[in-house]
Amino acid sequence: MDMGKRVIDLIGSQLKRNIYYCVFAVIAGIMIAYTLAADVRRVPDAADMGVEKEERVNVLVMGTDRQASLCDVMMLVSIDKAADTVIAVQIPRDTYAGYTSGSYKKLNGAYNSLGGAEKTAAWLADAFGIKIDHYVCVCLDTVRRVVDAIGGVDVDIPCDMVYSDPEQGLYIKLDAGRTHLDGEGAEQFLRFRYSYVGGDVARLDAHKIFLSALYKKMARDMTPSLLIKLCAAVDGVETDLSIPDMVDIGLGVRKMDADSIFLVTLPGREAVAQESGASYYVIFADGARIIMQNYFGGKDFDTNEYFLNKKYKSFKDIYFEKCTPRIYSVNDIFEGGINIEFN
């Protein structure tokens, strides 16, 4: 073999590995979009996560449904290439946000109202006072394809899951216990929330269990042929990530392990708008500010008070409530599990 071919093969091999790590970062981002659980033994501070702006890449990850293009998954992922760490913050879909003058102000409607992923990313960057470098938007079919591509995932299902909604074409039937989920089963597990005492927040806990299992499966079973399947599975994703971007992110996260992935839910609490009866998730501004400043390079959080509904005292009380964010690692979740209450 001549030297030229050896160099090309070496570069090709390295590129494949880097694209794998980027693919995982994006997929993990999609699945991470779900947190709030288990006790942790290690919580990173800002120094652990790194502070160099050029060493951090912030990515907005969104997942849309099939019917109304609502973003039922929305999260921010910060990849710190210097510290070899990733932190992801889930933004609950019912978060109150003044992105529109219309009456529907749940954040999952921003994608439609603002006109797509790019404009949603721009609005969130302004609201959170951070830089969002890239965006990724996927649909439920992508999640199915990814899970099928890796041969399914073994998950401990916390309770019997039974639900049907013919209008959405949604039929869920999963038995409690250790279960091997294919793509269809994974979608059922991720969408279920109907018996949880904690409602949608508890559903996010279940997603965290799934993410941990997904990570372990991919880390254990990754091969060149599986890499090709994964690249095909994520085909058609709406993103502004170029191949050089992917390689750059891949180089930054290839040393990432389950102790280096940190998860945090945007802190807040539910409140009901008295006039409409609609239930919203109102963020704790203080806790959200800490997250954005310490881990996303943020400066001026919510200067326009987009996340504050001044009309209702209950909303204002929650918004101004002090809060210390709780940050968790994927490994803690995988080893310790999550106690999810259900009816």
Side-chain angles (χ1 to χ4, degrees), residues 131-201:
K131 179 183 178 183
I132 296 180
D133 301 287
H134 301 288
Y135 61 83
V136 177
C137 187
V138 303
C139 67
L140 287 169
D141 291 332
T142 302
V143 177
R144 280 193 180 206
R145 292 197 300 267
V146 166
V147 174
D148 284 335
I150 65 173
V153 177
D154 293 325
V155 174
D156 289 312
I157 298 177
C159 64
D160 290 338
M161 298 181 172
V162 180
Y163 180 80
S164 64
D165 184 344
E167 290 187 5
Q168 293 188 59
L170 177 60
Y171 300 93
I172 299 174
K173 190 178 187 310
L174 298 171
D175 295 328
R178 189 74 168 173
T179 304
H180 185 78
L181 299 177
D182 60 8
E184 180 181 0
E187 180 184 336
Q188 292 181 30
F189 181 78
L190 293 171
R191 296 185 70 181
F192 184 82
R193 64 187 177 95
Y194 306 95
S195 294
Y196 297 141
V197 172
D200 199 51
V201 172

Side-chain angles (χ1 to χ4, degrees), residues 66-217:
R66 295 188 183 92
Q67 281 74 32
S69 294
L70 295 174
C71 285
D72 282 344
V73 171
M74 187 175 290
M75 57 163 298
L76 287 165
V77 182
S78 184
I79 301 158
D80 189 324
K81 295 176 286 183
D84 293 322
T85 51
V86 171
I87 188 165
V89 55
Q90 176 196 353
I91 309 169
R93 62 184 184 179
D94 291 341
T95 296
Y96 176 87
Y99 59 86
T100 175
S101 59
S103 60
Y104 189 89
K105 287 183 168 59
K106 293 185 178 183
L107 195 54
N108 67 347
Y111 180 88
N112 267 342
S113 179
L114 295 174
E118 183 176 0
K119 292 182 179 179
T120 302
W123 186 88
L124 285 171
D126 177 59
F128 286 129
I130 65 173
K131 179 183 178 183
I132 296 180
D133 301 287
H134 301 288
Y135 61 83
V136 177
C137 187
V138 303
C139 67
L140 287 169
D141 291 332
T142 302
V143 177
R144 280 193 180 206
R145 292 197 300 267
V146 166
V147 174
D148 284 335
I150 65 173
V153 177
D154 293 325
V155 174
D156 289 312
I157 298 177
C159 64
D160 290 338
M161 298 181 172
V162 180
Y163 180 80
S164 64
D165 184 344
E167 290 187 5
Q168 293 188 59
L170 177 60
Y171 300 93
I172 299 174
K173 190 178 187 310
L174 298 171
D175 295 328
R178 189 74 168 173
T179 304
H180 185 78
L181 299 177
D182 60 8
E184 180 181 0
E187 180 184 336
Q188 292 181 30
F189 181 78
L190 293 171
R191 296 185 70 181
F192 184 82
R193 64 187 177 95
Y194 306 95
S195 294
Y196 297 141
V197 172
D200 199 51
V201 172
R203 181 177 72 118
L204 306 184
D205 290 351
H207 290 174
K208 194 186 296 187
I209 294 173
F210 181 84
L211 172 63
S212 300
L214 176 70
Y215 175 85
K216 292 291 184 180
K217 178 67 179 288

Side-chain angles (χ1 to χ4, degrees), residues 27-47:
I27 294 170
I30 296 166
M31 304 303 179
I32 284 174
Y34 313 113
T35 55
L36 191 69
D39 293 333
V40 294
R41 292 177 296 277
R42 176 173 178 262
V43 175
D45 57 23

